[in-house]
Structures are given as structure tokens and as C-alpha cells.
Amino acid sequence: MSVLGGHLLGLEPLGPWQIQALLDLAERAARGELEPDALRGRVVANLFFEPSTRTRLSFELAARRLGAEVVNFDPERGSVQKGESLVDTALTLQAMGADVLVLRHSSSGAPHLVARHVQCSVVNAGDGMHEHPTQALLDLLTVRQAFGRVAGLRVAIVGDVLHSRVARSAAWGFSKLGAEVVLCGPPPLVPADLAGPGIVVCHRLDEALEGADVVMALRMQRERQLGGFIPSLGEYHRLYAVTPERLRLARPGALVMHPGPMNLGVEVTPEVAYGDRSLVLRQVTNGVAVRMAVLYDLLTRRQAELDVRPVEPMVLVGRL
Ligand code: NCD
């Protein structure tokens, strides 16, 4: 049975069993247990309207490892430059036979809009300041592998939470699986309304790190900082950077994560980012397995539930 149904738009709407089932499937993908041609004849279209290295390339690798064809839509060269709407672009790719649209967009809610207009599956690869569900899944998988569990761990997510879709998806994912999430950063960069069951908000880094098993540093999102939220990057570094000294406040054996790309010397120091407590590259490796699991679930398990094939070509009648 399909875990996801039609789309993967976010982690907020998923239940713990769905998240666990995807992580189990990703473990199987990592062990090479999914049939290598499970997606033969299927088309995965990457539509990235914002820059990406890890997410785009790992979706591409994941699709190819399962035998799918991949097309990469380039907004710089596509007809969006001529005013074509996002929905028209999506419908065009669907009409060419795309079975999955992997969409990254600067507008929160863009994948939800597209999903209302297409029959094929939509995967949110990051929408504005909202969600980045496959990133959270790879974070969960990485932590589950490192600690053997997620429930009962204390996960400190530090930095520019306001602008971070990674933080939102991670907070929802980790708390749904029973971890205690602490969101920490300067008051203007941590919305108080994100607090909820299993999620607390604090503004002092020392407090957030106390007893933490996992410390996730977030990228300072300079491109989304329109409103002078912090006095300076130097000031930010002094108060919130994850440094070797600060890490001593966490539990012995605490591990460090970062979604990348990193601003070394701003939110994290190079010694921490590349030190022996860093999970950063393991996160990247797990990104491929998680995306294989998502594509596999959407494309091999829901055929009977939905017609994901493109519409028949129009038959032109009458005078041409
Ligand atoms: C993140 C993103 O684009 O949301 N990167 C990623 O996908 N690994 C994080 C970020 O840009 O800060």
C-alpha cells in the first residue's frame, strides 16, 4: 500500500507511522534492496526555480538508480521567461509524460497549488519559508541510524528559524517521532507560534544546548533577509554560532548537523562542521536513499489508486 498517496507536500500533515514507513523504505534503498528497474519507463521532472546542489542532484540520482528517466527544467531558459505560469509549466511537463514533478520554488505553497491542477505526483523540494519534507526525512534517517532511535532525544535547531523551511519540516518530523525539539535563535528569527507539542522556543544558545543529543545549525539565509533582523553577522556568530566550546555544553557524544550549504564561520565553525561529531556528509548520502524511497512509494505503490499516465493526445478533427 502507498504510504504517501498522491503527493509529498510536507511533513506537517503526515502521521508518525507514515514517516516511520518512509524511513524503513529508505533503509532498504540504502541497502540496495529496491529493484533497480522499479521505475523503468517512468519520468521524473525536476523543476527548480531556486538554486540547489544537494536536493536536485540527489533527486536525479535517486530517480536514475531506480531506472527512471529524468528531465531537468531550467527556469532561466524555459518559457517562464516569456510569462508562462507555474501551473502551465507543470501541465506542459505532465502532458509530455512526467509522472512526478519535483518542485522547488521561492513561494510558500507553490507545490500545493500545482498539485491541485495535475494528475501526476508532486514532491515539494522546498517551498519558500514553509516546508522541505525530504530534507527532514534524511535528517530523521541520519539521527535514527546514529542513535538507533529518535524518540526521547533532545534536538536543538539553531539559527534563522524564521526563514528556514528545513527547520519547520524538521521540527514537525522530529516531534512527531517523539523527540524534544528546541528552536533557538535571536528573537526576531524564531517565531513563537512554532512552539507546540514537543517543540519549545528559546533564545539563549547555552540553554538550548544543555542536554542536547543533536545540534542542527541552520544556514543564515541572507537572500531572504529583507528586514535587518540582526545587527551583523559578527554579532550573530558571537551569540549563536556552533563552536567547539559551545558544543561542550551539549551531551557527551552529541552530534552536529547542517542541511547545507554552510556559511562557515557564521553559523558553524569549520572545526565543528568537519569534525568527528559532524553528520553533515552522512546527511548528504542519506538524501539519495530517502528520495529513492519517496519516488518508489509514489510511483510503484499507487498505480491502482490513481491514473498517473498523461492525458491522451488530442485528436484534431475538422479543417486544419
Ligand atoms: C536548504 C534549502 O534550500 O532549503 N538546503 C538544502 O536543501 N539542503 C537549506 C538552505 O538553503 O539553507
Side-chain angles (χ1 to χ4, degrees), residues 144-194:
R144 201 174 79 165
Q145 286 172 347
F147 290 89
R149 68 193 162 98
V150 173
L153 298 178
R154 181 172 157 99
V155 180
I157 302 180
V158 181
D160 184 358
V161 175
L162 173 66
H163 297 101
S164 175
R165 50 202 177 205
V166 173
R168 272 177 196 73
S169 290
W172 288 320
F174 277 99
S175 59
K176 279 172 199 272
L177 295 198
E180 180 197 2
V181 175
V182 186
L183 298 174
C184 177
L189 291 179
V190 188
D193 61 3
L194 284 178

Coordinates of all heavy atoms in Angstrom, one line a residue, residues 144-194:
R144 N 18.3 8.5 13.3 CA 17.9 7.2 13.7 C 19.0 6.2 13.5 O 19.2 5.3 14.3 CB 16.7 6.8 12.8 CG 15.9 5.6 13.4 CD 14.6 5.3 12.7 NE 14.9 4.5 11.5 CZ 13.9 3.9 10.8 NH1 12.7 4.0 11.2 NH2 14.2 3.2 9.8
Q145 N 19.8 6.4 12.5 CA 21.0 5.5 12.3 C 22.1 5.7 13.3 O 22.6 4.8 13.9 CB 21.6 5.7 10.9 CG 20.8 5.1 9.8 CD 21.4 5.6 8.4 OE1 22.2 6.5 8.3 NE2 20.9 4.9 7.3
A146 N 22.3 7.0 13.7 CA 23.4 7.3 14.6 C 23.0 6.9 16.0 O 23.9 6.5 16.8 CB 23.7 8.8 14.5
F147 N 21.8 7.1 16.4 CA 21.4 6.8 17.8 C 20.6 5.6 18.0 O 20.2 5.2 19.1 CB 20.6 8.0 18.4 CG 21.4 9.2 18.6 CD1 21.6 10.2 17.6 CD2 22.1 9.5 19.8 CE1 22.3 11.3 17.8 CE2 22.8 10.6 20.0 CZ 23.0 11.6 19.0
G148 N 20.1 5.0 16.9 CA 19.3 3.8 16.9 C 17.8 4.1 17.3 O 17.0 3.2 17.4
R149 N 17.5 5.4 17.4 CA 16.1 5.8 17.7 C 16.0 7.3 17.5 O 17.1 8.0 17.4 CB 15.8 5.5 19.2 CG 16.6 6.3 20.2 CD 16.5 5.8 21.6 NE 17.6 6.4 22.3 CZ 17.5 7.4 23.1 NH1 16.4 8.0 23.3 NH2 18.6 7.9 23.7
V150 N 14.8 7.8 17.6 CA 14.6 9.3 17.5 C 13.9 9.7 18.8 O 14.2 10.7 19.4 CB 13.8 9.7 16.3 CG1 13.4 11.1 16.3 CG2 14.5 9.4 15.0
A151 N 12.9 8.8 19.2 CA 12.1 9.2 20.4 C 13.0 9.4 21.6 O 14.0 8.6 21.8 CB 11.1 8.0 20.7
G152 N 12.7 10.4 22.4 CA 13.4 10.7 23.6 C 14.7 11.5 23.5 O 15.3 11.9 24.5
L153 N 15.1 11.8 22.2 CA 16.3 12.6 22.1 C 15.9 14.1 22.2 O 14.8 14.5 21.9 CB 16.9 12.3 20.7 CG 17.4 10.9 20.4 CD1 18.0 10.9 18.9 CD2 18.5 10.5 21.3
R154 N 16.9 14.9 22.5 CA 16.7 16.3 22.5 C 17.5 16.9 21.3 O 18.7 16.7 21.2 CB 17.3 16.9 23.8 CG 17.1 18.4 24.0 CD 17.4 18.8 25.4 NE 17.8 20.2 25.5 CZ 17.0 21.1 26.0 NH1 15.8 20.9 26.3 NH2 17.4 22.4 26.1
V155 N 16.7 17.6 20.5 CA 17.3 18.1 19.2 C 17.2 19.6 19.2 O 16.1 20.2 19.3 CB 16.5 17.5 18.0 CG1 17.0 18.1 16.7 CG2 16.5 16.0 18.0
A156 N 18.4 20.3 19.3 CA 18.4 21.7 19.2 C 18.6 22.2 17.8 O 19.5 21.8 17.1 CB 19.5 22.2 20.1
I157 N 17.7 23.0 17.3 CA 17.7 23.6 16.0 C 18.0 25.1 16.1 O 17.2 25.8 16.7 CB 16.4 23.3 15.2 CG1 16.1 21.8 15.1 CG2 16.5 23.9 13.8 CD1 14.9 21.4 14.4
V158 N 19.2 25.5 15.6 CA 19.7 26.8 16.0 C 19.9 27.7 14.8 O 20.5 27.3 13.8 CB 21.1 26.6 16.7 CG1 21.7 28.0 17.1 CG2 21.1 25.7 17.8
G159 N 19.4 28.9 14.9 CA 19.7 29.9 13.9 C 18.5 30.6 13.3 O 17.6 31.0 14.0
D160 N 18.5 30.8 12.0 CA 17.5 31.6 11.3 C 16.3 30.7 11.0 O 16.0 30.3 9.9 CB 18.1 32.0 10.0 CG 17.2 32.9 9.2 OD1 16.1 33.2 9.6 OD2 17.7 33.4 8.1
V161 N 15.5 30.4 12.1 CA 14.4 29.5 12.0 C 13.3 30.2 11.2 O 12.6 29.5 10.4 CB 13.8 29.2 13.4 CG1 12.6 28.4 13.4 CG2 14.9 28.5 14.3
L162 N 13.1 31.5 11.3 CA 12.0 32.2 10.6 C 12.0 31.9 9.1 O 11.0 31.6 8.5 CB 12.2 33.7 10.9 CG 11.2 34.6 10.1 CD1 9.8 34.4 10.5 CD2 11.6 36.1 10.2
H163 N 13.2 32.0 8.5 CA 13.3 31.8 7.0 C 13.5 30.4 6.6 O 13.7 30.1 5.4 CB 14.4 32.7 6.5 CG 14.2 34.2 6.7 ND1 14.8 34.8 7.7 CD2 13.4 35.0 6.1 CE1 14.4 36.1 7.7 NE2 13.6 36.3 6.7
S164 N 13.5 29.5 7.6 CA 14.0 28.1 7.2 C 12.9 27.1 7.1 O 12.3 26.7 8.1 CB 15.0 27.6 8.3 OG 15.4 26.3 8.1
R165 N 12.7 26.6 5.8 CA 11.8 25.5 5.6 C 12.4 24.2 6.2 O 11.6 23.3 6.6 CB 11.5 25.3 4.1 CG 12.8 25.3 3.3 CD 12.6 25.7 1.9 NE 13.8 25.7 1.1 CZ 13.9 26.4 -0.1 NH1 12.9 27.2 -0.5 NH2 15.0 26.3 -0.8
V166 N 13.7 24.1 6.3 CA 14.3 23.0 6.9 C 13.9 22.9 8.3 O 13.6 21.8 8.8 CB 15.9 23.1 6.8 CG1 16.5 21.9 7.6 CG2 16.3 23.0 5.3
A167 N 14.0 24.0 9.1 CA 13.6 24.0 10.5 C 12.2 23.6 10.7 O 11.9 22.8 11.6 CB 13.9 25.4 11.1
R168 N 11.3 24.1 9.9 CA 9.9 23.8 10.1 C 9.6 22.3 9.9 O 9.0 21.6 10.7 CB 9.0 24.6 9.1 CG 8.6 25.9 9.7 CD 7.7 26.7 8.7 NE 7.7 28.1 9.2 CZ 8.8 28.9 9.2 NH1 9.9 28.5 8.7 NH2 8.7 30.1 9.7
S169 N 10.1 21.7 8.8 CA 9.9 20.3 8.5 C 10.6 19.5 9.6 O 10.0 18.5 10.0 CB 10.4 19.9 7.1 OG 9.5 20.5 6.1
A170 N 11.8 19.8 10.0 CA 12.5 19.1 10.9 C 11.8 19.1 12.3 O 11.6 18.1 13.0 CB 13.9 19.6 11.1
A171 N 11.3 20.3 12.7 CA 10.6 20.4 14.0 C 9.4 19.5 14.0 O 9.1 18.8 14.9 CB 10.2 21.8 14.2
W172 N 8.6 19.5 12.9 CA 7.4 18.7 12.8 C 7.8 17.2 12.8 O 7.2 16.4 13.5 CB 6.5 19.1 11.6 CG 5.8 20.4 11.9 CD1 5.3 20.8 13.1 CD2 5.7 21.4 11.0 NE1 4.8 22.1 12.9 CE2 5.0 22.5 11.6 CE3 6.0 21.7 9.6 CZ2 4.6 23.7 11.1 CZ3 5.6 22.9 9.0 CH2 4.9 23.9 9.7
G173 N 8.8 16.9 12.0 CA 9.2 15.4 11.8 C 9.7 14.9 13.2 O 9.3 13.8 13.6
F174 N 10.7 15.6 13.8 CA 11.3 15.1 15.0 C 10.3 15.0 16.1 O 10.2 14.0 16.9 CB 12.5 15.9 15.4 CG 13.8 15.6 14.7 CD1 14.2 16.3 13.6 CD2 14.5 14.5 15.1 CE1 15.4 16.0 12.9 CE2 15.7 14.1 14.4 CZ 16.1 14.8 13.3
S175 N 9.4 16.0 16.2 CA 8.5 16.0 17.3 C 7.4 14.8 17.1 O 7.0 14.2 18.1 CB 7.8 17.3 17.5 OG 7.1 17.7 16.4
K176 N 7.0 14.6 15.9 CA 6.1 13.5 15.6 C 6.6 12.2 16.0 O 5.9 11.3 16.4 CB 5.7 13.5 14.1 CG 4.6 14.5 13.8 CD 4.4 14.6 12.3 CE 3.7 15.9 11.9 NZ 2.2 15.8 11.9
L177 N 8.0 12.0 15.9 CA 8.6 10.7 16.2 C 9.0 10.7 17.7 O 9.8 9.8 18.1 CB 9.8 10.4 15.3 CG 9.4 10.2 13.8 CD1 10.5 9.4 13.1 CD2 8.1 9.4 13.7
G178 N 8.6 11.7 18.5 CA 8.8 11.6 19.9 C 10.1 12.3 20.4 O 10.4 12.1 21.6
A179 N 10.8 13.1 19.6 CA 11.9 13.8 20.1 C 11.5 15.1 20.7 O 10.3 15.6 20.5 CB 12.9 14.1 19.0
E180 N 12.3 15.7 21.6 CA 12.0 17.0 22.1 C 12.8 18.0 21.3 O 14.0 17.9 21.2 CB 12.5 17.1 23.6 CG 12.3 18.4 24.3 CD 13.1 18.5 25.5 OE1 13.9 17.7 25.9 OE2 13.0 19.6 26.1
V181 N 12.1 18.9 20.6 CA 12.8 19.9 19.7 C 12.9 21.2 20.4 O 11.9 21.7 21.0 CB 12.0 20.0 18.4 CG1 12.6 21.1 17.5 CG2 11.9 18.7 17.7
V182 N 14.1 21.8 20.4 CA 14.3 23.2 20.9 C 14.7 24.1 19.7 O 15.7 23.8 19.1 CB 15.4 23.2 21.9 CG1 15.5 24.6 22.6 CG2 15.2 22.1 23.0
L183 N 13.8 25.1 19.4 CA 14.2 26.0 18.4 C 14.8 27.2 19.0 O 14.2 27.9 19.9 CB 12.9 26.4 17.6 CG 12.1 25.3 16.9 CD1 10.8 25.9 16.4 CD2 12.9 24.7 15.8
C184 N 16.0 27.6 18.6 CA 16.8 28.6 19.2 C 17.4 29.6 18.3 O 18.0 29.2 17.2 CB 17.9 28.0 20.1 SG 18.9 29.2 20.9
G185 N 17.3 30.9 18.6 CA 17.9 31.9 17.7 C 17.5 33.3 18.3 O 16.8 33.4 19.3
P186 N 18.0 34.3 17.6 CA 17.6 35.7 18.1 C 16.1 35.8 18.0 O 15.5 35.3 17.0 CB 18.3 36.6 17.1 CG 19.2 35.7 16.3 CD 18.8 34.3 16.4
P187 N 15.5 36.5 18.9 CA 14.0 36.6 18.9 C 13.4 37.0 17.6 O 12.4 36.3 17.2 CB 13.7 37.7 20.0 CG 14.9 37.6 20.9 CD 16.1 37.2 20.1
P188 N 13.9 37.9 16.8 CA 13.2 38.2 15.5 C 13.3 37.0 14.5 O 12.6 37.0 13.5 CB 14.0 39.4 14.9 CG 14.9 39.9 16.0 CD 15.1 38.7 17.0
L189 N 14.2 36.1 14.8 CA 14.3 35.0 13.8 C 13.7 33.6 14.3 O 14.0 32.6 13.7 CB 15.8 34.8 13.5 CG 16.5 35.9 12.7 CD1 17.9 35.6 12.4 CD2 15.7 36.1 11.3
V190 N 13.0 33.7 15.4 CA 12.3 32.4 15.9 C 10.9 32.7 16.2 O 10.6 33.3 17.3 CB 13.0 31.9 17.1 CG1 12.5 30.5 17.5 CG2 14.5 31.7 16.9
P191 N 10.0 32.4 15.3 CA 8.6 32.7 15.5 C 8.0 31.9 16.7 O 8.2 30.7 16.8 CB 7.8 32.3 14.3 CG 8.9 32.0 13.2 CD 10.2 31.8 14.0
A192 N 7.5 32.6 17.7 CA 7.0 32.0 18.9 C 5.9 31.0 18.6 O 5.7 30.0 19.3 CB 6.5 33.1 19.9
D193 N 5.1 31.2 17.6 CA 4.0 30.4 17.3 C 4.4 29.0 16.8 O 3.5 28.1 16.5 CB 2.9 31.0 16.4 CG 3.5 31.4 15.1 OD1 4.7 31.1 14.8 OD2 2.7 32.0 14.3
L194 N 5.7 28.7 16.6 CA 6.1 27.4 16.2 C 6.1 26.4 17.4 O 6.1 25.2 17.2 CB 7.5 27.4 15.5 CG 7.5 27.9 14.1 CD1 9.0 27.9 13.6 CD2 6.7 27.1 13.2

